[in-house]
């Protein structure tokens, strides 16, 4: 049996206001090709299928097309809701979809209702835990409103359900758990400390409660594989507890991530085999640093002129006039621009109070020194003086 672990599709996401619909479609096409080539039986999506609780029409169309193609390929899909999803909207039509092999798990009650997968004599139970906001579910569970208390109670309930099924002769050979949470491999009992080593990115929404958003990996002890979502980097927390990461990069903090998925192969009487797969589909992004002359003329930057989202960090002594427009003459898409002067930091001059009789040229000169760390040149002062005289003359003649 082959199971593919993915998460955090974030359909509808933009990259610095640029739609990623094309990249998402390319990923779905690549996913389907991989599913066919590898003979995948089941696809897991561990939360955040959408980027918004109110998904766009394009997003719902992408998911509809993906699920339809997967069903036609004979692939079962188990999809849980994440902190970006509306669990109520995502659960619409759950019974109908289940008849077609698509299992939507979006509620607290769903967490202890496993999806049963069979292949010959091999029986696998997949328990999909949706994102459970502590303040929303703690009361129903009778626990403190923390991630550790809520998730710990649910994983205990899963273990109890598995034991009961075994007692009835309905137990599984393997148990897989899906969860959308921040999980760290720590043996410390006090998670209020600094033991969390989970890699973060700018595109992940904060889910902390009381300053804590993570839980120890020990909550998942005893399960054969744990398919995590929420963190956008693909990496193993432990050998059997893993983040697949997002299929695409969604911020410059993910520039060096190699997005992919995990393939879990299960055979009777054997330990699970886990292998990595890397997607070829990319959101091409690049951080470029240098002076205006370097950025405009360096041949090393030629590959990033088109087809890349660029983050530009300009390092001239003073900010050149029209910097962004000049850079856009070379780089097709500048998604983020910042300026870092190479001059030592100095105390900014204190501007004189503005009065009705203040000299506009001197006022502008103070502003120019504050922003650009130098006074106006004689040529610049002549331009400002001419403009000031023109405005004053126009006002006097009005």
């Amino acid at each position: 049996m082959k199971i593919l672990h993915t998460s955090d599709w974030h359909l509808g996401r933009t990259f610095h206001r640029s739609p990623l619909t094309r990249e998402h479609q390319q990923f779905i096409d690549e996913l389907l090709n991989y599913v066919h080539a590898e003979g995948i039986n089941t696809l897991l999506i561990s939360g955040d299928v959408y980027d918004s609780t109110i998904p766009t029409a394009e997003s719902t169309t992408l998911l509809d097309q993906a699920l339809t193609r997967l069903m036609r390929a004979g692939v079962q899909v188990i999809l849980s809701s994440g902190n970006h999803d509306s669990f109520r909207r995502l659960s619409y039509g759950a019974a109908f979809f289940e008849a077609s092999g698509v299992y939507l798990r979006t509620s607290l009650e769903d967490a202890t209702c496993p999806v049963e997968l069979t292949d010959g004599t091999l029986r696998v139970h997949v328990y999909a835990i949706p994102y459970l906001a502590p303040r929303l579910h703690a009361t129903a569970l009778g626990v403190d409103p923390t991630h550790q208390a809520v998730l710990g109670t649910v994983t205990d309930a899963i273990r109890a359900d598995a034991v009961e099924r075994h007692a009835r002769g309905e137990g599984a050979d393997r148990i897989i758990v899906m969860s959308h949470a921040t999980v760290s491999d720590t043996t410390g009992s006090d998670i209020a400390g600094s033991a969390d080593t989970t890699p973060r990115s700018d595109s992940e929404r904060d889910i902390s409660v009381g300053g804590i958003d993570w839980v120890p990996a020990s909550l998942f002890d005893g399960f054969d594989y744990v398919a995590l979502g929420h963190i956008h980097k693909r990496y193993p927390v432990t050998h059997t507890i893993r983040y697949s990461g997002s299929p695409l990069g969604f911020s410059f903090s993910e520039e060096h991530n190699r997005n992919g998925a995990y393939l879990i192969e299960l055979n009777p009487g054997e330990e699970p085999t886990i292998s990595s797969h890397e997607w070829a589909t990319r959101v091409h992004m690049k951080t470029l640093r240098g002076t205006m002359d370097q950025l405009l003329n360096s041949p090393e930057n030629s590959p990033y002129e088109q087809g890349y989202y660029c983050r530009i960090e300009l390092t001239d002594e003073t900010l050149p006039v029209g910097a962004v427009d000049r850079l856009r003459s070379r780089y097709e898409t500048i998604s983020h621009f910042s300026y870092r002067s190479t001059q030592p930091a100095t105390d900014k001059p204190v501007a004189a109070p503005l009065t009705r009789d203040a000299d506009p040229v001197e006022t502008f000169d103070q502003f120019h020194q504050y922003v650009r760390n130098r006074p106006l040149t004689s040529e610049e002062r002549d331009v400002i003086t001419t403009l000031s005289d023109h405005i004053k003359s126009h006002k006097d003649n009005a």
Side-chain angles (χ1 to χ4, degrees):
M1 181 184 298
K2 293 186 176 182
I3 301 172
L4 187 65
H5 167 202
T6 72
S7 73
D8 295 270
W9 288 19
H10 285 278
L11 299 177
R13 184 87 183 192
T14 60
F15 190 90
H16 291 264
R17 300 184 181 181
S18 297
L20 295 177
T21 306
R22 179 186 61 186
E23 287 85 352
H24 267 123
Q25 184 63 70
Q26 290 173 348
F27 156 67
I28 291 170
D29 291 341
E30 184 180 359
L31 170 69
L32 265 295
N33 290 336
Y34 183 70
V35 161
H36 283 290
E38 285 291 331
I40 302 297
N41 305 105
T42 303
L43 173 70
L44 310 181
I45 311 175
S46 298
D48 282 353
V49 63
Y50 290 125
D51 190 59
S52 170
T53 56
I54 306 177
T56 63
E58 291 83 0
S59 303
T60 57
T61 298
L62 279 173
L63 182 62
D64 175 65
Q65 292 174 349
L67 294 179
T68 299
R69 293 171 66 185
L70 287 162
M71 286 187 290
R72 289 174 178 169
V75 178
Q76 298 184 86
V77 179
I78 306 174
L79 190 159
S80 60
S81 53
N83 59 296
H84 278 250
D85 299 309
S86 166
F87 62 89
R88 291 188 176 88
R89 286 189 175 88
L90 199 58
S91 65
Y92 176 77
F96 171 79
F97 279 112
E98 192 158 322
S100 301
V102 176
Y103 301 87
L104 305 176
R105 295 294 185 258
T106 63
S107 70
L108 176 62
E109 295 72 24
D110 288 339
T112 51
C113 180
V115 177
E116 183 171 290
L117 309 175
T118 58
D119 186 2
T121 61
L122 182 64
R123 177 187 290 176
V124 178
H125 284 171
V126 180
Y127 291 87
I129 308 173
Y131 172 69
L132 300 174
R135 293 188 181 93
L136 186 61
H137 295 94
T139 301
L141 293 170
V143 299
D144 292 334
T146 67
H147 288 285
Q148 185 173 17
V150 169
L151 198 53
T153 300
V154 172
T155 51
D156 285 344
I158 289 173
R159 292 186 188 93
D161 182 77
V163 169
E164 291 177 6
R165 291 176 187 274
H166 269 289
R168 298 196 303 264
E170 302 171 358
D173 302 294
R174 298 292 179 189
I175 294 178
I176 292 176
V177 173
M178 300 166 61
S179 182
H180 194 85
T182 307
V183 180
S184 184
D185 182 22
T186 173
T187 57
S189 58
D190 179 13
I191 70 167
S194 58
D196 178 27
T197 57
T198 310
R200 312 300 179 100
S201 76
D202 296 340
S203 62
E204 296 156 6
R205 183 179 295 171
D206 181 23
I207 59 171
S208 61
V209 176
I212 302 297
D213 70 345
W214 62 278
V215 301
S218 58
L219 292 188
F220 299 95
D221 285 350
F223 302 127
D224 293 286
Y225 185 82
V226 180
L228 296 175
H230 181 57
I231 300 300
H232 290 177
K233 182 177 181 179
R234 173 175 51 109
Y235 84 105
V237 179
T238 69
H239 177 66
T240 57
I241 303 175
R242 296 175 179 247
Y243 283 101
S244 67
S246 55
L248 302 173
F250 299 125
S251 73
F252 283 105
S253 63
E254 302 167 45
E255 181 176 340
H256 302 294
N257 287 3
R258 306 308 302 177
N259 303 88
Y262 283 116
L263 176 62
I264 307 102
E265 297 187 57
L266 303 174
N267 293 292
E270 298 180 11
E271 289 298 310
T273 300
I274 305 167
S275 57
S276 299
H277 177 71
E278 186 175 301
W279 302 120
T281 304
R282 301 277 293 162
V283 174
H284 295 288
M285 62 185 90
K286 183 65 177 179
T287 298
L288 300 171
R289 300 178 180 89
T291 64
M292 179 64 73
D293 180 67
Q294 291 169 337
L295 290 167
L296 289 179
N297 299 303
S298 173
E300 295 179 358
N301 293 347
S302 296
Y304 314 117
E305 293 175 355
Q306 293 183 329
Y308 271 78
Y309 299 98
C310 294
R311 173 169 63 176
I312 304 288
E313 294 183 3
L314 190 61
T315 59
D316 286 73
E317 286 191 3
T318 60
L319 179 62
V321 175
V324 176
D325 287 337
R326 292 173 64 187
L327 291 166
R328 281 186 177 140
S329 68
R330 181 176 190 187
Y331 302 102
E332 180 182 46
T333 305
I334 298 177
S335 298
H336 184 272
F337 172 82
S338 63
Y339 167 65
R340 298 180 184 276
S341 175
T342 56
Q343 290 186 339
T346 57
D347 293 333
K348 296 290 186 180
V350 178
L354 287 176
T355 65
R356 183 179 294 273
D357 298 326
D359 183 345
V361 177
E362 294 304 321
T363 299
F364 189 87
D365 185 61
Q366 291 177 16
F367 171 75
H368 190 275
Q369 289 189 59
Y370 185 87
V371 173
R372 301 173 66 85
N373 293 319
R374 66 170 178 82
L376 293 169
T377 64
S378 58
E379 292 82 1
E380 291 168 341
R381 178 175 284 271
D382 288 343
V383 172
I384 298 302
T385 300
T386 300
L387 287 172
S388 175
D389 291 343
H390 179 77
I391 293 170
K392 184 176 183 300
S393 174
H394 182 77
K395 181 179 179 182
D396 293 341
N397 295 329

